[in-house]
């Protein structure tokens, strides 16, 4: 028979990055189930990007590193217990900006990304630059950031142990990129995605309970995939 086709390093990197974008999207969807639904009040006169495209474009435009994304995704686990329970699409009890910000998966993903960047790097984009990257005005970017910080009581430090554990969880259980066409693989992908979302919903911030939440269809990234993307 023919020898197996070799996968180019660049293709591996693309696949790995796609997996992380999918994973990020699914984390946001798990915590904010309505994040893929565009509310009429959100539309205004602009077309709103699909959630996955929004995340992909935000990461691309901001040139976010792998490490920064990992920290940002962990911050979403931190904010998870503080997301208000009342329905985002119904009238708010007090219509406070903080409540509305915390209920928007896109805004919280962006706030987490900004805070992760500040946590890890000495030089960062200004609010004005993030405004150009995201399309939100600078005042709202600052307000969303403060809302996030207040919700987690300004506790953004991550111990090495927790970060290592989180990295392993993401690499091990992130579903591979979705199959291009429906088929046998699509059912497996759907199951892996559902398992991943359930894992996210039940994870505690310390991640100590992960062993009791192991999905039925774990996915392990290969060593070559990990080498393809530098921290």
């Amino acid at each position: 028979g023919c020898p197996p086709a070799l996968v180019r390093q660049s293709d591996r990197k693309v696949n790995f990055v796609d997996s992380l974008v999918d994973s990020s999207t699914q984390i946001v969807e798990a915590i904010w189930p309505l994040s893929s639904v565009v509310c009429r009040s959100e539309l205004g006169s602009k077309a709103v990007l699909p959630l996955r495209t929004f995340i992909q474009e935000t990461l691309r435009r901001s040139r976010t590193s792998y490490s920064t994304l990992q920290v940002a995704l962990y911050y979403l686990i931190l904010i998870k217990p503080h997301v208000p329970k009342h329905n985002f699409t119904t009238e708010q009890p007090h219509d406070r900006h903080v409540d509305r910000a915390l209920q928007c998966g896109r805004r919280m993903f962006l706030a987490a990304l900004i805070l992760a960047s500040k946590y890890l790097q000495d030089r960062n984009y200004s609010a004005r630059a993030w405004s150009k990257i995201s399309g939100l005005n600078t005042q709202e970017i600052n307000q969303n950031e403060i809302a996030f910080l207040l919700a987690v009581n300004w506790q953004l430090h991550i111990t090495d142990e927790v970060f290592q554990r989180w990295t392993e969880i993401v690499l091990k259980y992130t579903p591979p990129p979705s199959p291009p066409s429906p088929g046998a693989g699509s059912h497996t992908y759907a199951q892996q995605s559902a398992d991943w979302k359930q894992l996210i919903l039940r994870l505690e911030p310390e991640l100590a309970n992960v062993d009791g939440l192991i999905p039925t269809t774990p996915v392990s990234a290969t060593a070559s995939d990990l080498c393809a993307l530098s921290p």
Side-chain angles (χ1 to χ4, degrees):
C2 297
L6 295 176
V7 180
R8 291 185 305 175
Q9 187 83 343
S10 58
D11 291 340
R12 274 204 198 97
K13 184 171 181 178
V14 166
N15 289 339
F16 187 53
V17 172
D18 278 348
S19 291
L20 286 175
V21 172
D22 284 343
S23 183
S24 305
T25 304
Q26 290 158 0
I27 290 173
V28 173
E29 287 175 339
I31 302 172
W32 294 273
L34 295 175
S35 55
S36 293
V37 179
V38 178
C39 298
R40 193 174 297 276
S41 60
E42 293 282 302
L43 279 169
S45 58
K46 297 180 180 178
V48 177
L49 294 173
L51 177 62
R52 190 189 187 283
T53 308
F54 168 79
I55 289 174
Q56 187 175 36
E57 282 299 298
T58 301
L59 296 175
R60 183 184 66 81
R61 293 176 189 178
S62 61
R63 299 179 182 177
T64 294
S65 70
Y66 170 66
S67 298
T68 302
L69 177 58
Q70 287 283 37
V71 171
L73 294 180
Y74 176 72
Y75 284 169
L76 297 184
I77 301 298
L78 285 186
I79 199 78
K80 178 164 59 87
H82 307 288
V83 175
K85 301 300 182 192
H86 45 263
N87 195 324
F88 177 54
T89 59
T90 60
E91 189 174 341
Q92 305 293 307
H94 304 294
D95 200 32
R96 293 168 54 219
H97 175 83
V98 170
D99 275 353
R100 286 184 287 119
L102 291 175
Q103 286 180 308
C104 178
R106 296 170 191 242
R107 285 172 171 80
M108 289 299 95
F109 174 79
L110 181 64
L113 201 61
I114 293 171
L115 291 168
S117 180
K118 289 181 176 180
Y119 180 76
L120 288 177
Q121 300 170 32
D122 294 328
R123 297 184 64 185
N124 287 283
Y125 291 125
S126 63
R128 188 175 179 182
W130 281 111
S131 175
K132 290 183 178 179
I133 289 168
S134 66
L136 292 177
N137 64 55
T138 54
Q139 181 183 7
E140 182 165 9
I141 285 173
N142 291 330
Q143 288 176 333
N144 293 341
E145 195 176 335
I146 292 297
F148 195 108
L149 286 167
L150 290 173
V152 299
N153 198 27
W154 300 75
Q155 301 297 313
L156 295 180
H157 177 67
I158 309 175
T159 64
D160 289 342
E161 180 186 1
V162 168
F163 183 70
Q164 183 64 33
R165 194 178 300 154
W166 172 244
T167 302
E168 289 171 358
I169 290 169
V170 173
L171 294 179
K172 190 172 184 180
Y173 297 112
T174 289
S178 54
S181 58
S186 59
H187 175 73
T188 302
Y189 174 77
Q191 184 61 55
Q192 289 169 343
S193 298
D195 287 342
W196 174 236
K197 289 181 180 181
Q198 281 302 309
L199 179 66
I200 291 301
L201 284 176
R202 295 163 66 186
L203 266 181
E204 297 169 355
E206 300 79 17
L207 309 179
N209 66 329
V210 65
D211 290 338
L213 305 175
I214 303 302
T216 55
T217 49
V219 182
S220 295
T222 64
S224 56
D225 284 338
L226 306 190
C227 296
L229 197 66
S230 58

